[in-house]
Amino acid sequence: MASPGIEVELLGKGHSDLGEVAPEIKASERRTAVAIADLEWREMEGDDCEFRYGDGTNEAQDNDFPTVERSRLQEMLSLLGLETYQVQKLSLQDSLQISFDSMKNWAPQVPKDLPWNFLRKLQALNADARNTTMVLDVLPDARPVEKESQMEEEIIYWDPADDLAADIYSFSELPTPDTPVNPLDLLCALLISADSFLQQEIVLKMALCQFALPLVLPDSENHYHTFLLWAMRGIVRTWWSQPQRGVGSFREDSVVLSRAPAFAFVRMDVSSNSKSQLLNAVLSPGHRQWDCFWHRDLNLGTNAREISDGLVEISWFFPSGREDLDIFPEPVTFLNLRGDIGSHWLQFKLLTEISSAVFILTDNISKKEYKLLYSMKESTTKYYFILSPYRGKRNTNLRFLNKLIPVLKIDHSHVLVKVSSTDSDSFVKRIRAIVGNVLRAPCRRVSVEDMAHAARKLGLKVDEDCEECQKAKDRMERITRKIKDSDAYRRDELRLQGDPWRKAAQVEKEFCQLQWAVDPPEKHRAELRRRLLELRMQQNSHDPSSGVQEFISGISSPSLSEKQYFLRWMEWGLARVAQPRLRQPPETLLTLRPKHGGATDLGEPLWPEPLGVEHFLREMGQFYEAESCLVEAGRLPAGQRRFAHFPGLASELLLTGLPLELIDGSTLSMPIRWVTGLLKELHVRLERRSRLVVLSTLGVPGTGKSTLLNTMFGLRFATGKSCSPQGAFMQLITVAEGFSQDLGCDHILVIDSGGLIGGALTSAGDRFELEASLATLLMGLSNVTVISLAETKDIPAAILHAFLRLEKTGHMPNYQFVYQNLHDVSVPGPRPRDKRQLLDPPGDLSRAAAQMEKQSDGFRALAGLAFCDPEKQHIWHIPGLWHGAPPMAAVSLAYSEAIFELKRCLLENIRNGLSNQNKNIQQLIELVRRL
């Protein structure tokens, strides 16, 4: 029995076979018309057909594209100044260098400025990063460029075997220096020119900005598309998980590993409706639309795409647990193919294999499109058609739709008509209802890893499959498969970090305090020295465990890429096997502020310190410390040292951008021999470029210190109490050689104090004294110190204590007080504050700090301190981080702009010499020893 036909009322007249060319059809699709015209549909038995090219090969075998296509990519790379990065790829460290451009909010003037402007804005999490508008000098004879929607163009078909074809094709207009570049072309060109780690950073920052992410990167030159699995690895999202039965809870997982239903939106031939606008409307709660997918109505959205057709983008919806905001009850994946499915059959085939449903936007269904869809008859994916009533041929469309009923197993509910000139809320609700119905029924759920597996089967290249990446992954798995319980692993495999290290750290603190005593008893000094040597001999009697040896082999690899791959794999692998146990539900995961706005007791942390890479480096540091101590005491000949090369390995990691531990988070002490040995090796490797400025941050945990530094300089400090270690970490930033003379330094050493400062005067005096000493140490090492506050009066007592101590020494770094709006993440602007609040008389904390320091005037006001000079102090009000409610919130544009201004001010102060005198690494080593 024949299936019932589809009757859809299509408004307007029919058009010619070519139809009207919508503005969405991009220049590169017109150029690839030659390839489509070369397709042969060979009828098989019955109604079966096979999709073949004119030379008899199928789509997976085709590698022969016209020479002019190869040059188009090269022309775009040359236009953007990226052609030099095709052999030696652009690295993450290259993009993070401090230069003249870091101090000014400049606008690109020529196309070669665009990649660097994009990277700078993306590093700062700027929501305008995708805007490629250039500031051009207007020439007297310049005429305005016609918009694509105002131009009438024809699709010309010709025989590619004809010599004339190449000549006609070569006249296709390439972008010129005064022609704006489509943002998607810029993104593709930059990803093609970047190494794996810069690609990963770009994608991670795009995710924080809530931009759609590149999933399949097209290569129009070699027709060898890349699935970006590795680039997605670093993205972790938190969402509200509501089981069918039971209590909901927050869940945190990698987007690469979590499974969700996927819905693809594609275009077939011509469509007057925009996929990207429709997707944005579906993803946006309420009436506030977020432009996740770049579309034609945005600035430069109608500019011709030259190399980005075939790009597949991905985005997600994540529920927050709020009924007024949650469009869907569970995470949902959305995919968007740029370009026509006929020109990008391989990508379309991938989408049909991984999606629960595919929405096809088109104005015309011709015989060619019908046969293309007929080849998908074995697919179990649901198909939905979105048509326009004003374009296309009504009768022809209906005839082919009726033929597709038994093939694609569709009915009238699978065909929707959208009026392109009307922003119809009802149509968006209908799309959401379809998605919701699919979610409620049994449907395919896939992770990004599952998608990569399907991509491999279709012959796509997966970025993670390179030899160095896989060798590093195998090494990581050899380490992590032995970790069943984090506490047991630390006790059995990281043996030097237990009681021996805590006892040795305590003895060294007592020994250090004796050095400042007026008349220390020699007997007590000798006893401390004896106990320390016993503990160090006990440590030195151990050999590195198999896991530590494997780790050392990983960071000793002669291949820099393999070493970097290994460290990233270790971070993710340890995060998967050593999830911290929560003592209470994470009520404040959506904010950066502790529950009551108060202090966190570091003696009993709310979040147990998770096992991380720093624990393996800490173990290496203890082997070096123990051995060095015995050599200094004459208990071990220098020629028998086994671990003397460890600081060199660590210094190489610092140079590649890995944050290294300066103050041990478990004992809250500095392993002095390890740190000075590391700095010495760093001095050797930097040779003449060893002038340093030290910038540190201090403040109560949860005030956004690490996020601030990461946004300002593109650093990698851990954020969030669930994953942040308690120690202080340092990371090195390179100053471009052309700017170092002007700035007065070659590198900036950034120190993040993490969770060292508790923020309240605890009942344990020893604990407070320890915090105050650590604050004094970090501020004493610094040229510039940023004090991060949740309230302008809420200066932790330990920091006040450090101020009083440093004032005596005359070493007062340049201070910047930063108040971050953490009260309401949905409010973009800052709460009004008055500078005078910092100058008010001190409260109980400052009184206690003054008492402990035994100031003669006891309770003197903070205004009397040098750092509170009203004419010199710098107080910054930083707006809230999020615009909207997480997890679907984007970073606030106001936050990004305020952070940039703070960065510009810090660099200006360094350049003008307002910070304390810059130092070289040797001077820093001496300062570490003295402090």
Side-chain angles (χ1 to χ4, degrees):
M1 180 176 178
S3 301
I6 296 178
E7 292 188 7
V8 181
E9 184 178 353
L10 300 179
L11 304 178
K13 296 180 179 180
H15 300 283
S16 63
D17 289 340
L18 290 178
E20 292 184 4
V21 180
E24 189 177 77
I25 301 297
K26 306 303 178 184
S28 56
E29 290 175 23
R30 300 187 190 103
R31 292 190 296 273
T32 53
V34 60
I36 299 175
D38 192 30
L39 296 173
E40 288 184 358
W41 288 100
R42 302 190 176 183
E43 300 295 336
M44 310 298 286
E45 293 184 11
D47 289 329
D48 291 346
C49 59
E50 185 177 3
F51 187 42
R52 290 186 177 274
Y53 288 91
D55 60 358
T57 63
N58 59 33
E59 71 272 15
Q61 296 172 333
D62 174 61
N63 286 315
D64 299 322
F65 264 62
T67 303
V68 68
E69 273 296 331
R70 290 195 294 271
S71 67
R72 186 158 296 278
L73 175 61
Q74 295 304 318
E75 286 290 339
M76 177 59 70
L77 295 173
S78 177
L79 180 72
L80 296 173
L82 297 173
E83 71 276 13
T84 58
Y85 298 107
Q86 298 317 294
V87 178
Q88 184 67 35
K89 296 292 186 179
L90 183 64
S91 72
L92 177 57
Q93 295 304 104
D94 293 335
S95 70
L96 298 181
Q97 282 193 358
I98 302 294
S99 66
F100 286 101
D101 293 335
S102 303
M103 297 185 62
K104 56 184 181 181
N105 193 9
W106 58 280
Q109 296 181 341
V110 295
K112 291 186 178 181
D113 292 339
L114 293 175
W116 304 103
N117 185 65
F118 174 78
L119 287 173
R120 180 183 64 81
K121 284 189 172 181
L122 197 62
Q123 173 189 309
L125 303 178
N126 191 308
D128 288 337
R130 295 178 296 185
N131 189 342
T132 59
T133 303
M134 291 179 288
V135 178
L136 302 172
D137 294 329
V138 180
L139 301 176
D141 58 345
R143 59 182 179 86
V145 179
E146 290 184 284
K147 291 185 178 180
E148 188 175 347
S149 59
Q150 298 171 336
M151 300 169 64
E152 290 293 326
E153 298 187 33
E154 295 182 1
I155 299 180
I156 304 175
Y157 295 89
W158 61 78
D159 184 352
D162 191 340
D163 291 337
L164 185 61
D167 293 334
I168 297 174
Y169 200 87
S170 65
F171 277 98
S172 179
E173 189 176 335
L174 282 164
T176 60
D178 60 348
T179 303
V181 176
N182 189 288
L184 295 175
D185 285 342
L186 172 62
L187 174 63
C188 289
L190 196 50
L191 290 171
I192 289 171
S193 307
D195 69 10
S196 298
F197 306 99
L198 180 54
Q199 285 182 348
Q200 197 173 81
E201 185 71 8
I202 289 172
V203 171
L204 176 60
K205 298 292 187 181
M206 289 180 68
L208 289 172
C209 292
Q210 289 292 355
F211 297 161
L213 308 181
L215 182 68
V216 176
L217 182 64
D219 183 350
S220 59
E221 180 173 323
N222 303 306
H223 205 55
Y224 196 41
H225 312 306
T226 304
F227 188 96
L228 299 178
L229 175 61
W230 170 259
M232 299 275 181
R233 280 283 177 193
I235 304 173
V236 176
R237 300 297 291 266
T238 302
W239 67 91
W240 180 261
S241 176
Q242 180 68 58
Q244 293 183 350
R245 295 179 181 177
V247 180
S249 63
F250 278 102
R251 181 182 171 189
E252 185 177 86
D253 202 358
S254 165
V255 297
V256 167
L257 301 174
S258 58
R259 287 186 166 88
F263 296 84
F265 285 70
V266 301
R267 175 168 56 78
M268 184 170 67
D269 191 28
V270 178
S271 174
S272 53
N273 295 308
S274 169
K275 304 187 312 298
S276 301
Q277 282 180 301
L278 180 58
L279 276 165
N280 291 339
V282 170
L283 280 167
S284 300
H287 296 286
R288 185 186 66 85
Q289 179 164 318
W290 176 254
D291 294 315
C292 178
F293 292 89
W294 192 265
H295 58 84
R296 67 173 88 163
D297 282 354
L298 294 175
N299 190 21
L300 305 177
T302 58
N303 280 70
R305 292 197 297 263
E306 301 295 337
I307 63 172
S308 55
D309 277 344
L311 173 70
V312 177
E313 296 171 294
I314 186 171
S315 188
W316 294 268
F317 171 82
F318 291 102
S320 64
R322 291 176 51 178
E323 292 184 3
D324 59 326
L325 295 178
D326 288 348
I327 302 168
F328 306 110
E330 63 176 292
V332 183
T333 304
F334 291 93
L335 301 156
N336 183 19
L337 171 61
R338 298 287 182 170
D340 171 44
I341 61 175
S343 306
H344 308 287
W345 180 251
L346 198 59
Q347 289 93 318
F348 176 61
K349 197 171 182 180
L350 171 65
L351 295 182
T352 62
E353 293 193 7
I354 62 179
S355 301
S356 298
V358 176
F359 292 83
I360 302 173
L361 285 76
T362 187
D363 291 343
N364 294 297
I365 304 177
S366 63
K367 184 176 181 180
K368 179 186 68 177
E369 280 76 37
Y370 164 71
K371 292 184 175 180
L372 186 149
L373 292 172
Y374 187 89
S375 65
M376 307 305 300
K377 63 181 181 179
E378 302 298 329
S379 173
T380 59
T381 301
K382 298 179 185 295
Y383 293 90
Y384 294 87
F385 290 86
I386 300 177
L387 307 176
S388 168
Y390 299 128
R391 299 176 184 268
K393 296 193 297 185
R394 177 182 182 278
N395 293 333
T396 303
N397 287 346
L398 291 177
R399 184 172 71 252
F400 284 120
L401 282 172
N402 284 320
K403 287 185 177 182
L404 288 171
I405 288 176
V407 177
L408 301 181
K409 304 175 184 63
I410 61 175
D411 56 33
H412 70 279
S413 65
H414 289 235
V415 180
L416 301 88
V417 178
K418 183 179 186 300
V419 181
S420 59
S421 60
T422 304
D423 183 15
S424 175
D425 290 338
S426 61
F427 189 83
V428 172
K429 290 179 181 177
R430 191 172 178 187
I431 297 294
R432 290 176 177 172
I434 292 172
V435 173
N437 290 334
V438 173
L439 294 178
R440 285 188 287 272
C443 64
R444 178 187 298 143
R445 284 173 165 78
V446 294
S447 65
V448 176
E449 277 193 344
D450 298 330
M451 297 178 188
H453 184 65
R456 289 187 185 97
K457 289 184 176 180
L458 291 174
L460 273 75
K461 172 187 174 184
V462 178
D463 59 351
E464 210 169 84
D465 291 348
C466 69
E467 181 181 359
E468 291 177 324
C469 182
Q470 290 304 307
K471 286 175 63 177
K473 181 181 180 181
D474 291 343
R475 190 183 297 276
M476 175 273 294
E477 289 177 341
R478 288 197 293 271
I479 296 173
T480 56
R481 71 167 59 105
K482 297 180 180 179
I483 305 176
K484 307 303 180 185
D485 177 81
S486 296
D487 294 336
Y489 187 83
R490 291 189 220 193
R491 182 179 62 252
D492 299 335
E493 297 292 319
L494 306 177
R495 295 183 287 266
L496 270 61
Q497 293 175 54
D499 286 337
W501 168 222
R502 279 192 288 272
K503 291 176 181 177
Q506 183 59 39
V507 170
E508 288 193 335
K509 288 173 189 174
E510 294 180 27
F511 193 80
C512 182
Q513 290 169 353
L514 277 182
Q515 290 181 316
W516 297 97
V518 178
D519 188 18
E522 187 59 35
K523 183 178 180 181
H524 186 44
R525 186 196 298 269
E527 174 62 20
L528 289 176
R529 188 180 294 111
R530 183 191 64 78
R531 284 167 52 195
L532 179 61
L533 284 176
E534 285 182 358
L535 291 168
R536 291 306 190 185
M537 290 180 68
Q538 180 182 346
Q539 286 182 308
N540 196 58
S541 64
H542 294 287
D543 290 321
S545 65
S546 59
V548 174
Q549 290 183 34
E550 194 74 62
F551 179 85
I552 294 169
S553 299
I555 65 173
S556 302
S557 171
S559 168
L560 177 61
S561 294
E562 185 177 333
K563 188 185 305 184
Q564 291 177 297
Y565 277 123
F566 171 69
L567 289 169
R568 295 290 173 93
W569 277 120
M570 281 294 295
E571 290 174 11
W572 302 324
L574 292 173
R576 295 294 297 177
V577 301
Q579 295 288 349
R581 298 184 301 277
L582 301 182
R583 290 175 49 222
Q584 64 182 39
E587 302 174 17
T588 56
L589 280 179
L590 295 185
T591 70
L592 298 176
R593 186 175 172 82
K595 180 180 176 183
H596 300 294
T600 301
D601 183 2
L602 296 182
E604 188 180 359
L606 186 66
W607 299 85
E609 187 183 24
L611 183 64
V613 170
E614 66 273 8
H615 291 89
F616 289 84
L617 288 167
R618 196 182 291 171
E619 187 80 355
M620 291 173 60
Q622 284 307 298
F623 276 110
Y624 180 82
E625 282 270 329
E627 189 177 74
S628 298
C629 182
L630 296 180
V631 170
E632 291 171 8
R635 299 293 185 91
L636 180 71
Q640 295 182 16
R641 298 196 66 162
R642 296 182 294 163
F643 312 120
H645 64 294
F646 281 4
L649 295 177
S651 67
E652 290 175 1
L653 301 184
L654 189 64
L655 288 171
T656 61
L658 182 75
L660 293 187
E661 197 171 48
L662 178 67
I663 295 178
D664 189 313
S666 63
T667 63
L668 298 182
S669 63
M670 178 187 288
I672 187 69
R673 298 174 185 84
W674 171 246
V675 171
T676 54
L678 189 158
L679 291 175
K680 286 179 182 178
E681 291 292 336
L682 184 64
H683 181 66
V684 171
R685 283 161 172 75
L686 293 179
E687 297 178 348
R688 297 180 180 179
R689 301 202 72 220
S690 62
R691 294 177 302 162
L692 282 180
V693 163
V694 180
L695 185 153
S696 64
T697 60
L698 289 171
V700 178
T703 54
K705 301 183 301 299
S706 303
T707 301
L708 182 146
L709 291 175
N710 294 347
T711 306
M712 194 182 304
F713 296 111
L715 304 179
R716 298 183 53 221
F717 292 119
T719 59
K721 287 188 283 295
S722 63
C723 60
S724 294
Q726 295 178 26
F729 284 75
M730 56 183 175
Q731 192 169 346
L732 196 66
I733 309 172
T734 301
V735 178
E737 290 195 34
F739 186 51
S740 60
Q741 193 64 34
D742 190 33
L743 193 62
C745 64
D746 303 303
H747 294 83
I748 298 176
L749 187 69
V750 182
I751 301 175
D752 179 16
S753 64
L756 290 180
I757 308 301
L761 189 61
T762 62
S763 58
D766 290 343
R767 178 56 182 240
F768 171 77
E769 179 63 29
L770 176 60
E771 288 188 6
S773 298
L774 293 173
T776 305
L777 170 63
L778 295 181
M779 291 164 61
L781 292 175
S782 304
N783 302 93
V784 182
T785 298
V786 176
I787 310 296
S788 182
L789 306 172
E791 299 286 349
T792 51
K793 285 186 177 181
D794 188 22
I795 302 178
I799 295 178
L800 293 173
H801 197 53
F803 280 136
L804 297 171
R805 283 182 172 179
L806 289 173
E807 190 189 25
K808 293 179 180 179
T809 68
H811 177 96
M812 296 298 287
N814 177 265
Y815 294 104
Q816 303 290 327
F817 293 89
V818 175
Y819 161 68
Q820 298 203 55
N821 181 6
L822 305 173
H823 294 271
D824 185 355
V825 295
S826 63
V827 178
R831 294 175 62 190
R833 280 290 185 263
D834 192 324
K835 178 183 289 190
R836 289 173 300 174
Q837 288 182 295
L838 270 179
L839 308 179
D840 287 342
D844 293 338
L845 294 183
S846 55
R847 291 170 181 268
Q851 281 183 315
M852 291 194 68
E853 195 57 31
K854 298 180 177 62
Q855 294 288 337
S856 59
D857 54 345
F859 307 139
R860 64 180 182 159
L862 287 176
L865 291 176
F867 72 88
C868 276
D869 185 345
E871 302 302 320
K872 296 181 181 179
Q873 67 175 327
H874 294 278
I875 303 173
W876 297 83
H877 301 293
I878 305 297
L881 173 64
W882 301 116
H883 180 67
M888 294 303 293
V891 173
S892 161
L893 180 61
Y895 176 85
S896 172
E897 291 174 343
I899 293 297
F900 173 78
E901 282 303 311
L902 174 59
K903 174 183 178 180
R904 186 192 59 75
C905 176
L906 293 176
L907 294 177
E908 195 69 43
N909 288 346
I910 293 171
R911 184 168 70 170
N912 294 337
L914 297 182
S915 61
N916 222 31
Q917 184 179 6
N918 300 345
K919 52 185 76 73
N920 60 37
I921 295 179
Q922 290 284 23
Q923 292 170 327
L924 180 63
I925 292 171
E926 291 303 315
L927 191 57
V928 167
R929 285 173 174 160
R930 285 195 289 114
L931 287 171

